[in-house]
Amino acid sequence: MSEKLVEVHGLKKYFPTKKGLLHAVDNIDFYINKGETLGLVGESGCGKSTTGRLLLRLIEPTGGEIKIEGQDVMKMGAKEMREFRKKIQIVFQDPYASLDSRFSVYESIEEPLRIHKVYNDPKEMEKRVFELMETVGLAPRVINSFPHELDGGRRQRVGIARALALNPELIVLDEPVSALDVSIQAQILNLLQNLQKQMGLTYLFISHNLSVVKHISDRVAVMYLGKIVEMAETEELFKNPLHPYTKALLSAVPTPRIDIDKQRIVLEGDVPSPIDPPARCRFYNRCYCRCEGCAEQDVQLVEVKPNHFVACMQAQE
Amino acid sequence: MQEQVKQVAAQETVIYKKRRQLPDIWHRFCKNKRAVCGLVIMILIVLAGIFAPVICQYDPIQQNLREAYQTPSLAHWFGTDSIGRDLFTRVVYGIRTSLLCGIIAVTISLVIGGTLGAIAGYYGGKVDNVIMRFMDILLAIPSLLLAISMVAALGGGMINMLFAIGFSSMPTYCRTLRGEILKIRKTDFVEAAKAAGAKDSWIIIKHIIPNCLAPIIVRVTMGVASAILFCASLSFIGLGIAPPTPEWGQMLSFGRDFIRTYPHMSTFPGLAIMVTVFSLNMMGDGLRDALDPKMKT
């Protein structure tokens, strides 16, 4: 279980803007064990999706190191990278935009197989597509349909089937359920969990929905303004959050009970601009337990307990 | 009971069939009555143009002063002009000139403008900026004036006129294609193809081209209509196709001198222009709706 499939060190992505460098992802480290699900949470604009795309090199990182199965992804040439893409796939948030409206379901699922010329025999290809459709729970009769003829849940299933086509090791799930109805969300989440069990997949699950993340993840990483502020096993993180931001985040999750008197931590102020942020704790201006030391230097992610990392000076002490 | 089970099983075996989009598009197109009407008229016009020598018994160029200034009759359906040429014959032969001009002019602007637009959209950055500012300059000059001045500078004649028309209507194609490519390049499905390991050539051929084809087809259909108008306008002021060749705009201007006494001389070529442009535009409108797969069938 502890074999690391993905290791990321000092990953950075700065976007040049007119006002300066936008630190979308700033020096983050994390790892994902083989067969587990790492949930990546944070508010919108904190760099979660960028992180996912960086992992696939859909966006070129500014700096840092990504190792998948011990191979350095960053050093791969274009040809090698194309071959390596088989191992990492992505499922997008919006199933309406992620399928070409001119491709039928068959053509969409077949596309990755055709790109990599997996099958030469059209019969085998057809068999494989049917097989994939069955795996993701799509009725065979929709095979000739176009995306606009399907509902959101089915489209997302097509997206998942595409991602599975090449037997990947790692799937980046970029908010795969946030565009769907709640009832369909549950179906898709269960499907994802079953697939993981059957195929031993590893997931990076990006979401802003804490309940969903709690449900599906083995470990959770919390992002704030381009940095990972806390990373721990799900149970540990939800029971014993150390970073003030995580605490505030968790206190905002609605609980369907009225007998518990919950203390909601309300943060003041807005998320500061990610353009050229000062070298101090990113959370400094909104933190409710800051001290003088916090403003002086950037905080590093430190392992305070086994498998519990936190980037807060107070908590580290 | 067993039979029922068998039936259900038979229904469940679905075979993948390559589903072509053409039948769907045709179905959607047929639902639009105006578009079908435009298509039928266009087919008739094209057929008339092709079989002009069969339809007409007169020569479009031969003068026959004895028959000059005739109003419409059974012998001359559209009457004759001041030097006795049968107007119906000339209008029918004019289809050849007009359609040819329209198509060639549009091809020229599509090839030049479209290529520039595609480059601008795909590469972006400075290249995009240079190309688009150039197009903005072209757009700032009224296109008819631009075409007139180009013909005036290059000299008259069909080829020069076609280039002038093609060049001055280039910005629209450039903008359309650039916009489409910019839009498609950023979509998730292109990103998904990239994540699946697709090469640039795959993405361009499989995703970008099919997805910008529809707006281009629509633009071209309507573009042919406006090129025909352009051509007629230039010929009307004597900068386009030289007199003996039958051309609608030029016939219109020829009949202008007699408009009070013999209005038919300019009415029929004018009607021909109108009907052609009108049906092309109706067709284009219908195509736009039909080519979008998201439209409900």
Side-chain angles (χ1 to χ4, degrees):
Chain A
M1 192 61 187
S2 58
E3 191 191 336
K4 285 175 187 168
L5 182 74
V6 182
E7 274 182 275
V8 171
H9 292 296
L11 188 64
K12 280 180 212 161
K13 178 66 197 178
Y14 301 157
F15 291 106
T17 61
K18 275 176 192 159
K19 288 180 202 154
L21 282 180
L22 189 149
H23 294 224
V25 172
D26 200 3
N27 224 340
I28 61 170
D29 305 276
F30 65 90
Y31 61 89
I32 310 176
N33 291 325
K34 212 174 164 86
E36 77 166 358
T37 303
L38 176 69
L40 192 58
V41 285
E43 53 201 295
S44 29
C46 73
K48 329 183 277 289
S49 291
T50 311
T51 310
R53 272 154 217 236
L54 286 171
L55 216 56
L56 277 102
R57 267 181 82 188
L58 285 174
I59 311 172
E60 283 301 316
T62 312
E65 191 185 48
I66 304 169
K67 270 189 179 167
I68 294 175
E69 283 192 322
Q71 284 173 278
D72 195 339
V73 178
M74 295 298 303
K75 286 193 186 119
M76 284 185 190
K79 219 174 180 183
E80 233 179 316
M81 193 60 215
R82 263 202 294 282
E83 202 50 37
F84 199 75
R85 286 249 151 90
K86 284 184 190 176
K87 290 190 179 155
I88 18 174
Q89 287 294 311
I90 181 165
V91 174
F92 291 93
Q93 171 178 10
D94 183 2
Y96 291 81
S98 60
L99 299 173
D100 190 333
S101 56
R102 281 164 210 285
F103 276 32
S104 70
V105 169
Y106 178 85
E107 287 165 318
S108 275
I109 300 177
E110 174 205 47
E111 191 188 15
L113 297 167
R114 277 187 61 189
I115 289 171
H116 287 279
K117 300 192 178 79
V118 182
Y119 299 105
N120 291 322
D121 182 15
K123 279 264 164 57
E124 271 178 61
M125 177 87 91
E126 211 176 302
K127 216 178 118 199
R128 173 80 174 131
V129 172
F130 273 114
E131 210 177 275
L132 282 164
M133 285 177 68
E134 205 189 315
T135 331
V136 299
L138 275 171
R141 69 188 147 78
V142 299
I143 194 153
N144 297 319
S145 307
F146 286 105
H148 67 274
E149 296 164 337
L150 303 175
D151 60 54
R154 291 217 178 85
R155 288 186 206 203
Q156 197 57 296
R157 283 173 200 266
V158 175
I160 295 170
R162 270 178 65 99
L164 289 176
L166 296 167
N167 288 321
E169 302 270 334
L170 170 73
I171 300 184
V172 174
L173 301 160
D174 188 359
E175 310 217 22
V177 296
S178 40
L180 306 174
D181 289 343
V182 180
S183 58
I184 296 166
Q185 280 190 6
Q187 288 176 15
I188 298 290
L189 286 176
N190 288 338
L191 171 69
L192 289 170
Q193 280 184 316
N194 289 338
L195 290 173
Q196 185 171 36
K197 251 181 247 161
Q198 282 166 25
M199 306 176 154
L201 296 166
T202 307
Y203 290 151
L204 175 64
F205 192 94
I206 299 167
S207 179
H208 57 246
N209 188 334
L210 281 169
S211 318
V212 168
V213 165
K214 189 178 178 183
H215 177 72
I216 200 165
S217 314
D218 298 307
R219 288 191 308 124
V220 177
V222 181
M223 264 186 106
Y224 181 77
L225 215 66
K227 288 234 175 214
I228 290 183
V229 292
E230 190 164 4
M231 181 163 77
E233 269 155 26
T234 312
E235 217 171 299
E236 164 77 9
L237 187 103
F238 277 82
K239 225 188 254 169
N240 190 13
L242 292 177
H243 197 281
Y245 179 65
T246 317
K247 285 179 190 165
L249 214 56
L250 291 181
S251 81
V253 179
T255 0
R257 291 177 70 172
I258 48 166
D259 49 332
I260 301 177
D261 192 18
K262 223 173 60 163
Q263 284 270 305
R264 169 90 205 266
I265 304 166
V266 181
L267 292 177
E268 279 167 24
D270 282 326
V271 183
S273 160
I275 293 169
D276 293 324
R280 62 178 189 203
C281 174
R282 288 295 160 84
F283 195 53
Y284 181 76
N285 64 334
R286 298 175 78 191
C287 191
Y288 46 85
C289 51
R290 63 187 167 204
C291 65
E292 278 168 23
C294 295
E296 276 159 20
Q297 65 193 55
D298 211 350
V299 208
Q300 298 301 317
L301 196 65
V302 175
E303 191 165 9
V304 283
K305 284 184 208 172
N307 273 330
H308 195 150
F309 300 82
V310 70
C312 174
M313 289 178 120
Q314 310 275 340
Q316 282 164 17
E317 283 164 15
Chain B
M1 189 61 193
Q2 252 190 344
E3 264 179 42
Q4 259 188 345
V5 172
K6 261 184 197 167
Q7 266 183 351
V8 170
Q11 275 170 3
E12 280 299 303
T13 43
V14 186
I15 312 155
Y16 159 67
K17 269 188 230 129
K18 186 143 180 80
R19 187 166 155 197
R20 306 220 172 259
Q21 295 198 325
L22 226 53
D24 281 16
I25 292 170
W26 179 241
H27 182 74
R28 282 192 292 256
F29 187 81
C30 287
K31 283 203 143 187
N32 188 339
K33 292 208 178 72
R34 277 182 303 145
V36 176
C37 185
L39 179 71
V40 169
I41 297 173
M42 269 328 285
I43 290 174
L44 288 179
I45 289 174
V46 170
L47 285 179
I50 293 169
F51 296 109
V54 186
I55 300 170
C56 312
Q57 41 182 326
Y58 301 97
D59 188 292
I61 292 165
Q62 189 64 48
Q63 303 184 4
N64 185 357
L65 291 173
R66 216 181 299 162
E67 308 241 311
Y69 300 110
Q70 289 202 12
T71 43
S73 64
L74 271 180
H76 300 284
W77 292 359
F78 289 180
T80 56
D81 64 7
S82 58
I83 45 177
R85 293 174 296 194
D86 179 50
L87 274 175
F88 178 71
T89 311
R90 283 180 67 75
V91 167
V92 171
Y93 274 90
I95 293 170
R96 294 180 167 189
T97 337
S98 287
L99 282 188
L100 210 65
C101 282
I103 291 166
I104 294 175
V106 167
T107 312
I108 291 171
S109 47
L110 181 65
V111 169
I112 305 176
T115 315
L116 285 176
I119 293 171
Y122 201 78
Y123 292 102
K126 265 185 198 155
V127 187
D128 179 30
N129 224 334
V130 169
I131 293 176
M132 290 328 284
R133 290 304 78 75
F134 174 65
M135 291 296 155
D136 283 348
I137 293 170
L138 279 188
L139 269 182
I141 310 165
S143 44
L144 188 60
L145 279 184
L146 185 66
I148 290 174
S149 47
M150 275 185 73
V151 174
L154 295 170
M158 187 158 158
I159 295 168
N160 284 347
M161 179 192 71
L162 290 179
F163 262 101
I165 297 173
F167 193 75
S168 53
S169 53
M170 192 166 72
T172 21
Y173 296 90
C174 188
R175 291 197 153 254
T176 316
L177 211 64
R178 172 179 174 268
E180 280 306 311
I181 288 183
L182 274 183
K183 199 174 79 193
I184 298 162
R185 231 165 52 101
K186 279 190 191 137
T187 52
D188 279 353
F189 61 80
V190 166
E191 197 113 296
K194 238 184 251 174
K199 290 180 198 161
D200 276 1
S201 55
W202 175 280
I203 291 170
I204 292 171
I205 294 167
K206 291 275 173 181
H207 292 289
I208 293 181
I209 292 179
N211 274 294
C212 39
L213 217 54
I216 291 298
I217 290 173
V218 175
R219 267 259 131 263
V220 163
T221 322
M222 302 212 173
V224 170
S226 65
I228 288 175
L229 268 184
F230 250 78
C231 187
S233 322
L234 285 178
S235 301
F236 183 83
I237 52 176
L239 286 170
I241 286 156
T245 326
E247 203 282 337
W248 295 336
Q250 175 227 113
M251 285 160 70
L252 240 165
S253 112
F254 199 74
R256 190 181 44 159
D257 300 337
F258 315 98
I259 199 155
R260 281 168 189 270
T261 36
Y262 302 106
H264 69 270
M265 283 188 201
S266 36
T267 307
F268 288 110
L271 272 178
I273 296 173
M274 200 191 86
V275 170
T276 314
V277 172
F278 194 59
S279 47
L280 271 173
N281 278 336
M282 283 200 296
M283 227 173 87
D285 253 347
L287 270 179
R288 172 168 37 221
D289 294 344
L291 285 171
D292 185 357
K294 284 179 204 114
M295 291 292 283
K296 292 258 160 69
T297 35

